[in-house]
Amino acid sequence: MTALATTFPGSYRAADVSFLLKPLPLQGFVNVAAKEYLIQSGQRHYSEMLSPEALPSARYLSIFRQACDANMARMAADCLALAALIVERRSGPVTLVSLARAGTPVGVVLNRLLPAVFRRASRHYSVSIIRDRGIDQVALDHILAQGHAPESIVFIDGWTGKGVISGELASAVAGYNARHGTAIDGGLYVLSDLAGTAACAASCDDYLIPSSILNATVSGLISRSILNEAIGPGDFHGCVYYQQFQAHDQSQAFADDLAGQAMALAALPRKAAAPSHKENAAAVSRAYMLAALQQHGVKDANMVKPGIGEATRVLLRRTPRLLIVRDRQAPEVAHLALLAQEKNVPMVVDRALPYHAVSLIRSALDG
């Protein structure tokens, strides 16, 4: 650990989160089509490049607010259940380590609930994990250097799609433990475990988690994490901080609303929290992926993104080939239908779909 690595709260309050990320200049952006070609051709890893983010349209923001109205109570209840499950599995102070960005809003709320509802001290860090590159080792070093017990660490994310990140996390943490003689639990704790690969989840349902449909403006104004030549050996993984979006930021208000609803639920009588049954979710995920690859002629499983959260990421950040929905009229897919319309992405209905939505990424190498 060197003095190069510094922490900051993004657009959240300092007590809510410490981002263990290195802010990088607003430069070197790659357009989406060029980025997709470089990724799919194997010339560059996705983490080495970033496409610029745009602010959501007024129409899209209206759909985000509708999603909050419809599903914030469900998300709050799942945050409360996940906090209770963490308390059952950890003794003493809890060190929340959310995976930036999707895990960050969840980590912020858990960091409020643990001391206020469960009288359990907590601290929240948000760190980078990258497929095929692992978790940020410098960030883990920093967390342990602050005096947190390895056994107190709990990794947090919003949801699982195919389970790639939960597998990446388990493998990376196992390697870290072997090298450092630590006993960090590499299991992932999520609100919704579609893949059945999380260590603990509040549910396995594919429901519309409102924070999943925005980018930086609901995640502390932070970009997706970056790992390229700008990151030195003593640096955290990088990010862009979109300070220019500050007037449009939803992050703090969203977290305050979500935490407030969870606190209100905590004051009511409730059943003991029970972890989700992930075996069925895992079986459904495996069966769907096998069928989807064959049906759509896809050779690379990374091109298939199941579930609302992952489908949204494709439409916001990648080059979509197709949007598949179970019910075109379902409010859960209204934002996806709008994005597909805006980007001229074909949308088809599959009544047998086990998820609300699936996105396919278009091959950049054909033709």
Side-chain angles (χ1 to χ4, degrees):
M1 182 67 194
T2 76
L4 293 175
T6 58
T7 73
F8 70 113
S11 65
Y12 293 104
R13 301 182 188 99
D16 280 333
V17 61
S18 294
F19 282 103
L20 306 189
L21 294 165
K22 177 185 178 180
L24 298 175
L26 279 164
Q27 61 188 34
F29 286 124
V30 179
N31 72 55
V32 174
K35 181 183 71 174
E36 201 67 63
Y37 179 80
L38 291 167
I39 293 170
Q40 293 184 30
S41 65
Q43 295 181 52
R44 298 192 74 182
H45 191 266
Y46 78 89
S47 65
E48 298 173 20
M49 305 169 290
L50 196 65
S51 297
E53 287 190 19
L55 287 170
S57 66
R59 188 177 169 196
Y60 192 81
L61 269 180
S62 175
I63 290 175
F64 167 70
R65 294 188 186 100
Q66 291 171 27
C68 290
D69 291 342
N71 291 308
M72 191 75 96
R74 169 69 190 272
M75 187 178 180
D78 281 355
C79 285
L80 185 62
L82 194 60
L85 292 167
I86 290 170
V87 168
E88 288 180 7
R89 288 161 172 74
R90 294 291 189 276
S91 59
V94 176
T95 308
L96 299 165
V97 180
S98 64
L99 305 183
R101 297 181 293 184
T104 308
V106 181
V108 168
V109 173
L110 294 175
N111 193 45
R112 306 255 194 100
L113 294 176
L114 287 170
V117 176
F118 299 96
R119 302 294 183 262
R120 191 68 71 82
S122 66
R123 181 71 188 273
H124 176 212
Y125 301 93
S126 202
V127 308
S128 164
I129 188 169
I130 294 171
R131 192 186 75 225
D132 304 325
R133 300 290 189 269
I135 197 163
D136 188 341
Q137 307 281 311
V138 176
L140 289 184
D141 290 345
H142 176 89
I143 291 167
L144 295 180
Q146 308 313 300
H148 302 293
E151 296 80 7
S152 73
I153 291 175
V154 181
F155 293 102
I156 304 295
D157 209 353
W159 62 86
T160 67
K162 298 190 298 289
V164 172
I165 290 299
S166 51
E168 187 78 43
L169 176 67
S171 175
V173 172
Y176 186 91
N177 285 336
R179 290 189 297 275
H180 294 82
T182 49
I184 300 171
D185 181 354
L188 188 60
Y189 285 60
V190 299
L191 299 182
S192 179
D193 183 19
L194 302 190
T197 58
C200 189
S203 83
C204 291
D205 298 340
D206 184 25
Y207 73 98
L208 178 52
I209 296 172
S211 55
S212 73
I213 74 176
L214 292 182
N215 277 329
T217 52
V218 80
S219 306
L221 298 182
I222 298 297
S223 76
R224 175 181 57 74
S225 55
I226 304 164
L227 184 58
N228 57 21
E229 63 280 354
I231 307 304
D235 291 337
F236 298 137
H237 291 182
C239 72
V240 167
Y241 180 53
Y242 287 102
Q243 190 168 5
Q244 71 271 31
F245 292 169
Q246 189 168 4
H248 306 273
D249 189 25
Q250 312 281 329
S251 306
Q252 192 69 65
F254 180 84
D256 290 347
D257 189 3
L258 184 59
Q261 292 199 36
M263 297 279 192
L265 290 172
L268 302 175
R270 63 185 188 277
K271 295 188 296 184
S276 61
H277 299 289
K278 63 181 185 179
E279 292 79 10
N280 181 64
V284 169
S285 176
R286 287 192 298 268
Y288 175 74
M289 287 301 299
L290 287 172
L293 292 173
Q294 183 174 14
Q295 179 183 355
H296 299 287
V298 179
K299 296 179 181 178
D300 183 355
N302 288 324
M303 308 290 272
V304 181
K305 302 293 186 179
I308 296 171
E310 294 303 301
T312 302
R313 285 178 169 184
V314 171
L315 286 160
L316 288 174
R317 304 198 319 224
R318 305 294 295 271
T319 55
R321 165 188 160 190
L322 182 67
L323 171 64
I324 310 165
V325 298
R326 189 167 61 203
D327 178 1
R328 188 186 296 264
Q329 305 305 319
E332 289 85 357
V333 301
H335 70 291
L336 292 169
L338 175 59
L339 287 170
Q341 179 187 24
E342 291 177 346
K343 299 190 175 189
N344 296 315
V345 177
M347 181 170 68
V348 300
V349 175
D350 179 357
R351 296 289 183 186
L353 201 66
Y355 309 105
H356 277 295
V358 174
S359 285
L360 305 185
I361 297 173
R362 187 176 73 235
S363 172
L365 307 179
D366 294 341

